[in-house]
């Protein structure tokens, strides 16, 4: 198989060779596809089932994550819902790592109360505990690593061994939004499924809402997911599919830059007076830090000139999020405090701007936030 950089840059090229030889894949807006006769088909029929532009994207996503089958859907939450609604029924249970995207918590609480599903949280460290939590009704173990927003790392290989030894039928699923396939390949580490909010690094420009579910195998599980997707219908539209193919062509370059500037800022932030503690997983463009209590968060946010105070990540434009009032606002204060998601925790998505300009912006904004 070609290297990932080649797969990314070449996506869609050659897809229209029979008609035009277009290098950038055409966008097919047609929802209906003509059949030459009864029982005969071009392979396409109706765009909720299968759609040419989306198909190019899905084949690429599968290749990027070393899976055999991928589904491109309307958002990251739609991808999570596609996975959970495909495999869980009343009486089943699932396990999730304890520091997650806030929307995932909201979703898990929703399905557990409405659909009679039991779920337990795992700290990502105690493997004996994990083995003890898994039983014959455990359908999914859900992980996010590095964790969001406190950047804890979970050992994926070890988790996969423990999960599959405890119950070979349990699906190990990993939310790979933060690192992308450039820095982490959960399927190679033993996971059965990978989910992305493609709204973030895969899209990379703060302009597409999209999600992806990638499965290790194109077998019965893939068929179950496909049938469920046709039934529920949260597919990605043709224009967003094309935009995502286009965005992915530079994923490797963007991630290399996010990572370089991320490492630089994570080190430099530690030396800024007013920054108490920096949380950085050692790779990628996501950093969290605690602002000292003698500094005012609102003044800090108002003082930023390059960073935008906004709720997302992974784009060209650097963003700053306050998890306690944005991404994780849904969680109870008690749960937030247990996880360290306090009101002075700041999450930084390092964009593609000059790294020194970004450091200067953070430095001046922190300095200006000192309470007199
Ligand atoms: C944003 C995000 C999601 C949800 O994705 P949407 O595209 O907003 O629906 C899930 N997981 C992580 C880690 C995220 O950052």
């Amino acid at each position: 198989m070609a290297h990932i950089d080649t797969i990314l840059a070449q996506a869609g090229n050659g897809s229209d060779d029979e008609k035009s030889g277009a290098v950038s894949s055409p966008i097919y807006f047609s929802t209906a596809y003509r059949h030459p006769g009864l029982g005969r088909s071009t392979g396409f029929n109706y765009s909720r089932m299968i759609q040419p532009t989306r198909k190019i994207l899905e084949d690429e996503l599968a290749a990027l994550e070393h899976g055999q089958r991928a589904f491109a859907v309307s958002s990251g939450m739609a991808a999570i819902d596609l996975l959970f609604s495909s495999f869980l029924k009343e009486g089943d249970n699932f396990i999730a790592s304890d520091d997650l995207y806030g929307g995932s918590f909201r979703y898990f609480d929703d399905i557990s109360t409405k659909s009679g599903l039991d779920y337990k949280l795992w700290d990502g460290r105690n493997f004996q505990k994990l083995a003890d939590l898994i039983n014959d009704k455990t359908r999914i173990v859900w992980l996010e690593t590095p964790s969001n927003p406190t950047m804890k790392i979970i050992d994926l290989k070890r988790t996969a061994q423990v999960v599959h030894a405890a119950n070979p039928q349990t699906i190990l699923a990993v939310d790979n939004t933060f690192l992308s396939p450039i820095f982490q390949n959960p399927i190679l580490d033993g996971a059965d499924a990978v989910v992305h909010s493609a709204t973030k690094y895969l899209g990379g420009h703060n302009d597409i809402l999209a999600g992806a579910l990638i499965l290790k195998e194109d077998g019965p599980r893939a068929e179950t997911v496909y049938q469920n997707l046709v039934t529920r219908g949260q597919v990605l539209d043709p224009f967003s599919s094309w935009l995502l193919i286009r965005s992915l062509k530079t994923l490797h370059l963007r991630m290399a830059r996010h990572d370089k500037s991320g490492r630089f800022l994570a080190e430099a932030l530690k030396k800024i007076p007013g920054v108490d503690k920096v949380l950085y997983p050692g790779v990628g463009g996501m950093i969290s830090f605690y602002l000292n209590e003698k500094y005012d968060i609102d003044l800090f946010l108002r003082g930023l000139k390059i960073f935008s105070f906004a709720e997302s990540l992974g784009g060209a434009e650097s963003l700053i999020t306050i998890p306690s009032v944005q991404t994780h606002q849904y969680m109870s204060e008690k749960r937030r405090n247990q996880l360290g998601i306090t009101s002075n925790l700041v999450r930084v998505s390092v964009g593609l701007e000059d790294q020194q300009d970004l450091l200067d912006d953070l430095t001046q904004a922190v300095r200006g936030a000192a309470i007199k």
Side-chain angles (χ1 to χ4, degrees), residues 74-80 100-104 142 144 146 148 175-178 195-200 208-211 311-313 327 347:
S74 55
S75 69
M77 290 318 301
I80 294 173
L100 300 171
Y101 173 66
S104 302
W142 174 263
E144 202 177 314
N148 183 358
D175 185 332
N176 203 23
T177 300
F178 266 35
V195 165
H196 277 278
S197 168
T199 314
K200 316 295 169 52
I208 315 167
L209 190 71
E311 181 168 357
S312 194
L313 64 102
T327 49
R347 194 186 77 181

Side-chain angles (χ1 to χ4, degrees), residues 1-130:
M1 203 171 76
H3 291 95
I4 193 166
D5 296 11
T6 307
I7 297 173
L8 290 164
Q10 284 288 330
N13 190 6
S15 62
D16 202 49
D17 276 356
E18 276 153 38
K19 282 233 175 68
S20 68
V23 170
S24 165
S25 63
I27 311 178
Y28 290 86
F29 285 110
S30 185
T31 49
Y33 295 82
R34 282 152 56 109
H35 300 300
L38 248 191
R40 300 203 296 151
S41 163
T42 59
F44 296 95
N45 41 39
Y46 182 68
S47 63
R48 175 158 31 82
M49 322 286 176
I50 178 169
Q51 198 277 337
T53 314
R54 194 170 79 233
K55 174 87 169 59
I56 293 168
L57 171 64
E58 290 177 336
D59 289 347
E60 181 185 6
L61 290 167
L64 294 180
E65 284 291 5
H66 302 270
Q68 291 179 350
R69 187 84 181 264
F71 303 89
V73 294
S74 55
S75 69
M77 290 318 301
I80 294 173
D81 179 57
L82 181 63
L83 175 72
F84 279 77
S85 63
S86 293
F87 295 110
L88 287 149
K89 55 181 188 328
E90 199 180 332
D92 288 343
N93 66 67
F94 62 98
I95 295 163
S97 55
D98 64 4
D99 188 21
L100 300 171
Y101 173 66
S104 302
F105 272 125
R106 181 172 47 210
Y107 178 79
F108 294 156
D109 285 346
D110 185 81
I111 57 170
S112 66
T113 46
K114 288 190 191 144
S115 312
L117 300 167
D118 185 31
Y119 89 95
K120 295 272 184 322
L121 294 174
W122 175 55
D123 69 1
R125 296 206 169 120
N126 184 340
F127 288 94
Q128 186 56 49
K129 180 80 195 297
L130 176 63

